[in-house]
Amino acid sequence: MQIQDPTEPRTQGLEDLEEDLAAALPETQGSRFYPLIRRWALHVVPFLLLAAAIFVLWREFRDVSPAEIGSSMRAWGYADVVLALLLSAASFTLMGFVEWFGLRWAGARLPIVPALWGSFLANAIGHTLGANLLVSGAVRARFYDRFGVSLKQVAATTVFHGVSFAVGLSALSGVSLLVAKGHDTDATRIAGPVADGLGVLLLVGVTIYVALCGNLKRPLRGFGHSLKLPSWRVALAQIGLGAFDNAVAAGIIWTLLPEGSVGYFSFVGAYAPSVVVGLISHVPGGVGVFEGSLSALLASVRPAPLAAAFLGYRLAFFLLPLLIAAVALTGDAMRRRGRG
């Protein structure tokens, strides 16, 4: 990974940290043509995806009343709500273990507890506000500064976390698409041959990643990027933890759906591409885009329970963690200011 090692002052705000972190993350070089395309894509693609999502959501939920959504939420029961909150906590914990592995890979030997806490703060804020790479990286830099972790190590950890998420989601999605085909053929609008092809393609991609990590000793270069790969053992840990984390996160929505409405693997087969579309959109938290994609792919779930599950998911996995992180960061800033 081409990572610079800038001198970082000890009293930076998040905006300054984002600028320094952007300099520390892998650079895009090469001709001016590619940055121009990327800049236009970042402006046009989110608008198109959001417009498409609004249309899909209007089409799927135009006949659903707030009373129907409320009735679906009341049908959850306390056990479903508690399970959704526990799954959210478990997902953030798994992200913390990925963080700890990433810090160690980057050369920062932190105990597990600060890594869990730093990961929670970074992901709770980054997931909700969008621009996840820079936002979460800036929060990490601010938190880990007290432990002597450099921006170079923060940037490496941020990239490690992102790759773990990508390969874990790919592995989970690939397996789900292949397994679900014979069990729940009418649950989603993903055709059988398409599901098979995507599943195989995703698993082949994950296998290639592990093979590269095991055999390629030099940094991997392409399109102006340079990436130093971990060992194959670390790559397997990334895949395992990343897949488990995504499986748990998907379980939050699935738990809140009516029992028997869709099989778990069929649901994950629709959930995974919806997450990707939400990330590509650059809309904060993928709000609307994720829901529009998932509702378009699910064929067997009634609109009202699905809308209720979306609300529960946003509350358990986005808003509640964001509130906890915001309170914690505010308290930490006031405490540090008092010491100063």
Side-chain angles (χ1 to χ4, degrees):
M1 212 162 7
Q2 277 186 341
I3 296 178
Q4 301 170 3
D5 192 5
T7 302
E8 60 263 45
R10 295 289 174 181
T11 57
Q12 287 179 292
L14 289 182
E15 295 83 1
D16 298 329
L17 283 172
E18 286 187 24
E19 293 179 3
D20 289 345
L21 189 69
L25 287 167
E27 296 180 359
T28 300
Q29 301 165 354
S31 69
R32 296 180 180 179
F33 181 66
Y34 295 108
L36 180 63
I37 293 179
R38 184 180 61 180
R39 188 161 52 248
W40 274 99
L42 289 176
H43 285 84
V44 174
V45 171
F47 174 79
L48 294 177
L49 289 175
L50 185 58
I54 291 173
F55 171 75
V56 171
L57 289 173
W58 172 80
R59 185 189 65 186
E60 296 291 333
F61 300 109
R62 59 183 172 179
D63 297 325
V64 179
S65 67
E68 291 177 293
I69 297 175
S71 177
S72 296
M73 296 179 74
R74 288 190 296 272
W76 288 342
Y78 292 109
D80 293 332
V81 173
V82 170
L83 181 56
L85 293 174
L86 289 176
L87 288 171
S88 179
S91 178
F92 277 97
T93 302
L94 288 166
M95 284 186 267
F97 279 102
V98 173
E99 185 99 351
W100 183 64
F101 273 109
L103 286 165
R104 292 177 66 85
W105 176 70
R109 302 291 176 175
L110 261 69
I112 185 64
V113 173
L116 289 172
W117 189 233
S119 171
F120 172 77
L121 295 174
N123 288 296
I125 294 175
H127 284 176
T128 307
L129 299 184
N132 192 279
L133 193 65
L134 287 180
V135 173
S136 62
V139 175
R140 284 185 178 95
R142 184 68 175 268
F143 178 79
Y144 292 135
D145 175 72
R146 71 197 69 185
F147 298 100
V149 180
S150 68
L151 273 183
K152 178 180 178 180
Q153 292 168 329
V154 168
T157 302
T158 302
V159 173
F160 183 92
H161 199 285
V163 172
S164 300
F165 173 84
V167 295
L169 185 65
S170 297
L172 176 67
S173 180
V175 171
S176 298
L177 287 168
L178 292 174
V179 170
K181 178 178 177 291
H183 291 78
D184 215 359
T185 53
D186 297 325
T188 71
R189 296 186 175 97
I190 304 175
V194 175
D196 286 341
L198 284 176
V200 170
L201 186 62
L202 288 168
L203 293 179
V204 167
V206 172
T207 303
I208 291 174
Y209 173 70
V210 176
L212 288 174
C213 290
N215 295 283
L216 194 63
K217 304 304 179 184
R218 295 181 179 180
L220 187 64
R221 300 178 184 275
F223 301 101
H225 293 275
S226 177
L227 183 68
K228 179 183 177 182
L229 297 176
S231 69
W232 66 269
R233 293 182 179 85
V234 174
L236 289 177
Q238 286 181 291
I239 294 168
L241 287 171
F244 194 16
D245 170 35
N246 281 286
V248 170
I252 299 172
I253 300 181
W254 185 73
T255 296
L256 298 176
L257 293 174
E259 186 175 356
S261 58
V262 59
Y264 176 77
F265 287 109
S266 293
F267 174 79
V268 172
Y271 169 87
S274 300
V275 170
V276 175
V277 172
L279 291 173
I280 292 174
S281 72
H282 289 279
V283 176
V287 174
V289 179
F290 167 78
E291 286 84 354
S293 175
L294 187 53
S295 60
L297 292 176
L298 289 177
S300 61
V301 183
R302 291 181 292 110
L306 184 58
F310 285 151
L311 290 175
Y313 173 68
R314 288 294 177 182
L315 289 170
F317 197 59
F318 287 84
L319 294 183
L320 182 58
L322 176 63
L323 178 61
I324 295 172
V327 171
L329 285 174
T330 301
D332 181 68
M334 294 176 63
R335 185 169 58 254
R336 296 180 73 178
R337 186 177 301 172
R339 292 176 180 174

